[in-house]
Amino acid sequence: MERIYIGMGSNLAAPAEQLRSAVAALAQLPHSKLVAVSDFYQSDSLLPGQPRYTNAVAALDSTLAPLDLLDALQAIENEQGRERLERWGPRTLDLDILLYGDRLIDEPRLKVPHYHMQERAFVLYPLAELAPADLRLADGRSLTALLAACPFVGLERLTTN
């Protein structure tokens, strides 16, 4: 079993409910155990004119191969009405593999650690709730250093998830 961190986001069709449904689906994945889920956070979209996002991170222990897990996550997205009409467009659900144990993965369909996560407070702060304080990414960067370089700006922690 490897510890995997999954970033979750939604800005359409009752975003908090979308994340709750995704958590329920993650708990049912084969060869996997849902370990924990961060608080939910709201943030502005990276692109103007879109609704605000609700984001969280889930910790999962799994023996699924990385691409098999990616396929399972994309199936969950599709079941929840995800349409891939435009890059970074509004979405009912986005599930991203942020970290997969201590692996560096560079496949055409999957890059781990997740690209740009170091610039996204809506990823780093929920991740920090679940990850060990001394977490180092497979590329050597520490979560502590990433947090220090990415201030908690534009985020609103929601009281319930």
Side-chain angles (χ1 to χ4, degrees):
M1 288 259 177
E2 291 185 79
R3 177 64 47 94
I4 302 155
Y5 294 99
I6 310 289
M8 304 185 296
S10 173
N11 72 339
L12 294 176
E17 287 303 316
Q18 292 288 344
L19 294 190
R20 287 184 196 97
S21 293
V23 168
L26 289 173
Q28 300 302 313
L29 285 176
H31 311 290
S32 304
K33 179 182 181 213
L34 181 65
V35 176
V37 178
S38 73
D39 286 340
F40 288 4
Y41 292 77
Q42 277 195 333
S43 63
D44 290 333
S45 171
L46 295 174
L47 297 178
Q50 291 187 22
R52 296 192 80 194
Y53 273 86
T54 301
N55 296 97
V57 170
L60 187 73
D61 285 344
S62 183
T63 59
L64 289 172
L67 292 176
D68 292 338
L69 177 60
L70 178 63
D71 290 341
L73 296 179
Q74 289 178 342
I76 293 168
E77 291 175 343
N78 293 339
E79 288 165 13
Q80 290 189 219
R82 170 79 185 260
E83 295 180 345
R84 298 174 192 281
L85 302 176
E86 65 178 290
R87 188 172 174 97
W88 296 307
R91 60 207 58 194
T92 54
L93 183 62
D94 188 27
L95 299 174
D96 293 321
I97 300 172
L98 304 174
L99 302 173
Y100 196 105
D102 59 1
R103 296 189 197 198
L104 274 173
I105 302 171
D106 188 6
E107 298 281 340
R109 294 180 53 217
L110 181 62
K111 309 280 188 237
V112 175
H114 190 274
Y115 63 96
H116 300 302
M117 69 182 272
Q118 70 277 359
E119 301 163 6
R120 297 179 174 162
F122 60 83
V123 169
L124 294 176
Y125 286 89
L127 174 62
E129 287 183 32
L130 306 180
D134 62 348
L135 177 75
R136 287 205 168 274
L137 282 61
D139 59 12
R141 297 176 293 170
S142 76
L143 181 55
T144 302
L146 295 178
L147 287 164
C150 187
F152 189 95
V153 173
L155 282 183
E156 177 187 350
R157 180 183 256 160
L158 302 178
T159 55
T160 61
N161 60 3

